[in-house]
Amino acid sequence: MGAINRRQAFLLGGGFVALTVMPMAANAEPSNDAAELIKKFTDGKEAAKGKITLDLPEIAENGNTVPLALTVESPMTSDNYVKEVLFVADGNPNAGVATLMFTPMSGKAEASIRIRLAQTQNVIAIAKMSDGSLFTERKTVKVTIGGCGG
Amino acid sequence: MADKPRIKLPKEAKKGEIIQIKTLVSHLMESGQRKDAQGKPIPRKIVNKFACEFNGKPVFSCALEPAISANPYIQFDARIDEEGTFKFAWTDDDGSVVAAEEKIALKG
């Protein structure tokens, strides 16, 4: 009985660790220059959550080409529009992915690109509006390597 | 970048309509992270900039990093208020530029 209990406790413990470690890893400080790039882009200001919708697969079987679609809520008029959106990937050798520059002539703050992800990691988007306000969104993408499951 | 870039957009649009533009250019986008058979790093060579303008005014542009997939695909939108010409330009790390043009007319 005691042994089973220990085993159960171990299994439970293992499950607990697996469950808690993953979100922690996802929120951990980026290992590459992601934080630096973000700081440079935001000028050290805090970006609020919201306005951005990121469409990324939860699991990417091929990290070489991961479809990424962006939508930012904005009227895109000449006095209220999305100026720039920075994308960083915090688990790539270089965090920089792309910076998209919109104008009121874009009509919509929407774009799609295809990106490379070296491993399971966060993709972070930060939008800079014409009034200087900042919004951010992040999404974790599990990258399958060599088909053995992420 | 020998191939002609592929661009998809409607031939005509209503005034004020927002159209979708899809572009793709053939390019290896060598990330600078790979090594050759001798173990020497292969130097980075990517398309680092894309820009689209309409009748001389900027519509959309982007700075690209090695994290962009090979044969970069870029999709974005544009509001059409008048007929005119879109100009597209892809700038390579080596400084060469591939340019393309597409015309759009107003409906009705």
Side-chain angles (χ1 to χ4, degrees):
Chain A
M1 195 66 184
I4 291 165
N5 274 342
R6 265 207 302 280
R7 190 180 299 157
Q8 281 174 336
F10 176 73
L11 284 172
L12 274 170
F16 183 67
V17 166
L19 276 171
T20 48
V21 161
M22 268 177 45
M24 262 169 64
N27 291 324
E29 275 301 301
S31 55
N32 55 14
D33 51 343
E36 212 167 293
L37 282 176
I38 292 169
K39 213 177 146 196
K40 215 170 134 193
F41 184 77
T42 61
D43 210 8
K45 285 195 222 62
E46 200 65 29
K49 241 191 158 311
K51 296 223 182 198
I52 303 176
T53 309
L54 282 185
D55 195 358
L56 270 160
E58 248 169 67
I59 299 170
E61 285 186 15
N62 180 359
N64 268 324
T65 163
V66 182
L68 161 62
L70 162 89
T71 310
V72 189
E73 253 177 69
S74 164
M76 295 304 276
T77 56
S78 55
D79 50 5
N80 185 0
Y81 63 98
V82 181
K83 251 180 143 165
E84 279 180 89
V85 180
L86 171 78
F87 284 109
V88 296
D90 66 7
N92 271 1
N94 298 308
V97 174
T99 312
L100 313 185
M101 282 148 272
F102 296 93
T103 69
M105 281 180 72
S106 306
K108 284 185 204 170
E110 280 188 23
S112 295
I113 51 175
R114 289 174 189 154
I115 65 171
R116 287 173 174 148
L117 296 174
Q119 59 184 52
T120 296
Q121 57 182 292
N122 296 308
V123 175
I124 303 155
I126 298 170
K128 199 184 271 174
M129 307 301 190
S130 54
D131 64 359
S133 58
L134 298 159
F135 293 91
T136 185
E137 179 64 292
R138 67 166 63 201
K139 215 160 177 189
T140 306
V141 182
K142 279 185 95 177
V143 177
T144 312
I145 299 163
C148 55
Chain B
M1 279 201 288
D3 294 1
K4 204 174 166 284
R6 281 185 273 166
I7 299 162
K8 236 181 176 177
L9 78 168
K11 284 204 162 49
E12 50 177 26
K14 284 190 211 111
K15 192 176 159 62
E17 192 180 334
I18 294 168
I19 61 155
Q20 193 175 69
I21 302 176
K22 294 176 176 175
T23 72
L24 189 140
V25 65
S26 298
H27 195 285
L28 202 55
M29 296 295 273
E30 190 58 63
S31 68
Q33 301 292 334
R34 295 197 309 154
K35 291 192 167 89
D36 64 14
Q38 279 78 45
K40 276 190 289 187
I42 304 170
R44 159 190 153 148
K45 190 177 183 295
I46 66 160
V47 172
N48 59 46
K49 195 169 172 259
F50 167 76
C52 167
E53 53 181 50
F54 183 65
N55 290 348
K57 285 170 280 190
V59 174
F60 172 86
S61 63
C62 50
L64 305 172
E65 304 286 341
I68 300 295
S69 305
N71 305 326
Y73 167 80
I74 304 166
Q75 182 206 304
F76 56 97
D77 293 277
R79 200 184 59 232
I80 305 299
D81 289 323
E82 55 187 2
E83 62 173 27
T85 310
F86 280 102
K87 277 190 181 165
F88 306 89
W90 290 260
T91 310
D92 197 295
D93 269 350
D94 66 12
S96 63
V97 177
V98 168
E101 278 188 19
E102 289 288 335
K103 283 188 168 43
I104 189 158
L106 281 184
K107 234 182 240 175

